[in-house]
Amino acid sequence: MTLNVLFAGRPQRWPEFEPHLNTACQAAGLDVKITTELPPGEVDYIIFAPTGELQDFTPYTHAKAVLSLWAGVEQIVGNDTLRIPLTRMVDTGLERGMTEWVTGHVLRYHLGMDRHIQNPDHIWHPEVPPLAADRPVSILGLGTLGQACAKALVGLGFPVTGWSRSPKDVAGITCVSGPEGLTQALQTGQITILLLPNTPETHNTINADTLAQMPKGAFLINPGRGPLIDDDALIDALDADHIAHATLDVFRVEPLPTDHPYWAHPKVTVTPHIAADTRPDTSAQIIAENIRRSEAGEPLLYLVDRGAGY
């Protein structure tokens, strides 16, 4: 029997995803019809992205699962019309992209690259950076992406402390949890990376109190979620020279308004939410595998915990 699969992402991306989705489903032995238009009552699976138009899942009475193309599900997890299983996207392309972006900005700060790239007065700066072993890094959030970034940095020689709400054990990483663990991670990291999910509990994780716990001259990197940071508190910490610089890829409002203080601040680098993107080829394999699993009665990959919000 042919399965009807609705692509409910941004229409402009459909041409990118269509060939990869069909190829992946065929390789998984699935007989599917994947399209952007289907009568709601005939849909078996929904491939979803918040940038699409679908918001009301009530008419999709026959659907078995919603398969999100995004790693973050905060824009859908609270949708009262969604009563069927929801999965988030974890794929090698997204993971690799995040790891490369994070590693690049950590190395930028570690090596002091800005001093040499932006040197209009031609000042000779002979300061030699420390080795990675002498530059502790902290990562707040030890999910799939956090662990991937942590392992890459450990591979380069950085001592990495990873914080999560509940205890975790990851080889090569100093894992801490709970309030005391958060303090330890903040006090330890000369460079701190935010990779927490966006939940009510994580809002303003970086605030005046937590910023004060970070070492003077520390660097902050946020490719996670905009609401993790109290923007006013961060600007105050930058102005006071407590935080040396921040690289921010995500914001409470996107695109970041042109009059936002971050744009003009000399100690802030703004990047336009490019740290990690869902790649059509690798994500299609995860979508196909989850449809195969569902049809076979096997557990879905990356099933969202509605209570936890991720």
Side-chain angles (χ1 to χ4, degrees):
M1 182 181 69
T2 301
L3 298 169
N4 291 322
V5 180
L6 177 68
F7 182 87
R10 191 168 59 184
Q12 296 92 323
R13 299 211 67 183
W14 170 235
E16 301 175 57
F17 278 91
E18 180 182 14
H20 295 289
L21 287 167
N22 280 302
T23 298
C25 286
Q26 183 178 6
L30 298 169
D31 180 9
V32 299
K33 174 185 176 182
I34 309 176
T35 181
T36 58
E37 295 184 7
L38 281 169
E42 296 180 11
V43 173
D44 294 297
Y45 294 94
I46 300 171
I47 301 172
F48 177 82
T51 47
E53 297 180 356
L54 177 56
Q55 298 296 324
D56 184 3
F57 295 90
T58 305
Y60 297 88
T61 55
H62 187 64
K64 303 171 186 177
V66 172
L67 312 172
S68 178
L69 289 170
W70 287 20
V73 292
E74 61 270 9
Q75 296 186 45
I76 182 178
V77 71
N79 190 319
D80 292 336
T81 69
L82 180 58
R83 305 294 178 84
I84 57 178
L86 168 68
T87 65
R88 59 190 178 88
M89 178 53 63
V90 177
D91 78 287
T92 54
L94 190 151
E95 179 182 305
R96 193 66 237 166
M98 179 65 80
T99 301
E100 292 176 5
W101 189 92
V102 165
T103 301
H105 284 282
V106 167
L107 287 172
R108 166 198 172 195
Y109 284 146
H110 170 60
L111 298 174
M113 291 180 177
D114 289 3
R115 178 179 298 174
H116 306 291
I117 294 170
Q118 302 174 17
N119 188 10
D121 297 324
H122 303 165
I123 298 173
W124 188 261
H125 293 291
E127 296 91 344
V128 177
L131 295 176
D134 298 317
R135 179 85 71 183
V137 175
S138 290
I139 296 180
L140 307 188
L142 278 180
T144 302
L145 296 179
Q147 290 188 32
C149 293
K151 291 174 182 176
L153 293 170
V154 166
L156 291 171
F158 292 97
V160 177
T161 297
W163 179 80
S164 54
R165 287 201 306 166
S166 55
K168 292 192 175 182
D169 185 8
V170 184
I173 301 165
T174 300
C175 297
V176 296
S177 60
E180 292 184 0
L182 178 59
T183 298
Q184 179 180 338
L186 290 168
Q187 292 178 344
T188 300
Q190 294 181 18
I191 303 172
T192 292
I193 303 153
L194 306 181
L195 281 168
L196 292 164
N198 181 13
T199 68
E201 292 76 21
T202 62
H203 285 188
N204 292 335
T205 295
I206 298 302
N207 54 49
D209 291 337
T210 52
L211 285 163
Q213 296 175 43
M214 297 172 66
K216 181 176 175 58
F219 299 93
L220 184 67
I221 300 174
N222 185 19
R225 294 290 180 267
L228 299 177
I229 296 177
D230 179 332
D231 295 331
D232 292 338
L234 176 56
I235 289 173
D236 287 345
L238 291 164
D239 290 343
D241 292 328
H242 184 70
I243 301 299
H245 200 279
T247 293
L248 311 175
D249 185 60
V250 288
F251 307 92
R252 292 174 184 271
V253 177
E254 296 184 1
L256 186 66
T258 56
D259 61 349
H260 196 285
Y262 282 150
W263 283 114
H265 202 290
K267 296 180 181 178
V268 175
T269 297
V270 171
T271 63
H273 204 144
I274 57 169
D277 192 22
T278 301
R279 316 284 170 157
D281 54 346
T282 52
S283 63
Q285 297 170 29
I286 301 300
I287 295 291
E289 173 61 11
N290 261 339
I291 294 175
R292 186 203 66 76
R293 284 171 168 261
S294 178
E295 291 300 304
E298 299 174 12
L300 292 171
L301 296 173
Y302 315 121
L303 187 66
V304 172
D305 181 337
R306 305 292 179 86
Y310 56 90

